[in-house]
Amino acid sequence: MTVKTFVPNQTTTLNAPAKTLAEQAEVRTQDAKSGAGSRIGFVSLGCPKNLVDSERILTQLRTEGYDVVPTYDDADLVIVNTCGFIDSAVQESLDTIGEALKENGRVLVTGCLGIKEDEIREVHPNVLAITGPHAYEAVVEQVHNHLPKPEHNPFEHLVPNHGIKLTPRHYAYLKISEGCNHRCTFCIIPSMRGDLVSRSVGEILDEAKRLQAAGVNELLVISQDTSAYGVDVKHRTGFWNGMPVKTHMQQLCDKLGEMGMWVRLHYVYPYPHVDDLIELMVEGKILPYLDIPFQHASKRILKLMKRPGSADRTIERIRKWREQCPELIIRSTFIVGFPGETEEEFEELLDFLKEAQLDRVGCFAYSPVEGAAANALPDPVPEEIKQARLERFMAVQSEISAARLQQRIGQEYQVVIDSVDSEGAVGRTYADAPEVDGVVHLNGVYDVKPGDRVWAEVIHADQHDVWAVLSEDQDD
C-alpha cells in the first residue's frame, strides 16, 4: 500500500517498504491465503529505524498466520506505522491515516506520531487504537482485539529465520540500539523513543549471521545515535560464539567486518572514538563511508542546537580521516534558518561546505516541530529568508557534489545491482547508500539481477548519479 493523496516536498519515508510489501503480498496470494478475517494491510512511513519496527511487527503477525495483503479492499484491518519527525512527515502520516479510513475504515495507528494520540484523534476520531513507537507487543495485542487469530499451521506457512524484511533481499538495515541520550533543541526523538537502550552485542551479531544466510550482502547499521552504542551499559563485555566482545561500536564493527558483507554506518554522532573506525575502513572490514549529521558550522548556532563541535575542529578531523583513508565518503545533513541564525553565520556555513568538500549532503530549512525546545529561542528567521538560504546552500553543495563525482570518471568500482529496467541495470558503489544517495546507471546491461555485483568504469556524471560501462575483467 502506498500513499495516494499526499506528495510531500521532504519527508523521511523510504520507497522500499511499499514496493517490498506489494511483492511479498503477491507471492503470498499466489501461494496460499488465510481465511477472511485475518488479512492485514500495512503502510510503513518514515526512516529506516521505523522500517525496522515495521519488520518486527510484520514478523510477529506472519508468525501467527495473519496474511499481509496489497490493497485496502482486501484487508480486514490496516496498520499505519507513522512518522512524526518533521511537519511534512506529520502531515503525510495524518493524510495516510485518513486515506486508510476512507478506503477501508478499520485502522490501527502506531509509530512516532502515536505519542500524540490527542492530535491524531482530533483529526481522525474513528481510528481503532493508537500506540507509540517500537510498541511491537501492543500493536499485536490490538490486532488480536480487532481480528480473530487465524487457524494457522506453522509447518505449512513458514516465516524465514531472519523474519520479514522490507528491503530487497541483498541488503538490510541492522538496528543496534533504540532511543537517544542527546537533547538537541530541534529534535523531539527522545520524547518519542526514550533514552538510549543498546541491544546485546551477541543478539546483533546473531541477527547479522541470519541475514547473511538469507542472502543479505550489505548491512546498513542504524540507530538514533549509532556511535553511542553501549554507553548505557558502560560498554560491558558480552559474548558471541563463546568469545568475549565488548558492547562498543568499534568491537561490534570489527566482528561485523569479519563476516564478508558490506557494512555501512549511518547516523554517526561525531564522538572522538569515531576516529578509531577509520582504521577498520583502511583494513577493509567496513565500508569507507560515514553518515555524520554535522547540522551546522557556527559554534554559536551549534551551542543553541546543543550540538558539539566547531567548524575548525571538524575540518581538521575530516582532513585527518581523508589522509588516513583517501577513499572515504562523507555524507551529512544540515539545518539552515535555525532561530537566531545571522547572515554572517550562514556565510560561515557556506564557507565550511566549500572547505569540507563533503560528498553527499542533505539540508532542511528549520521547521518549528511541536515540542522542540528550539521553538522558544528568540529571533526566528523569516520563512522567505530560510527558503532563500536553503536554495543558496544547495547551489553551493550541488557544485561540490558534481565536482567530486567528476573525479570518479575513468575509475573502476564494484557495483551492486539494485534493479533492472527498460534502460538497463541500476546499482550502487560503496559510496552510495540506498535511497539517500545517487546511483550508477549501466545502460544496456540486462543480464544481471538484484544483488549481483559487477565491476564497472565510470564514464559520465552529473550532480547526483554516475553512468558506467562494464569492465572487461570481472574477476573479484
Side-chain angles (χ1 to χ4, degrees), residues 10 62 65 72 130 139 155 172 175 191 291 297 376 398 415 424 455:
Q10 283 184 313
R62 282 283 303 278
Y72 291 119
I130 299 172
V139 176
F155 298 103
K175 185 157 69 168
S191 67
D291 175 5
S398 292
V415 178
W455 285 93

Side-chain angles (χ1 to χ4, degrees), residues 62-79:
R62 282 283 303 278
T63 299
E64 296 183 4
Y66 290 95
D67 258 331
V68 179
V69 295
T71 67
Y72 291 119
D73 292 339
D74 291 332
D76 299 298
L77 179 149
V78 176
I79 299 172

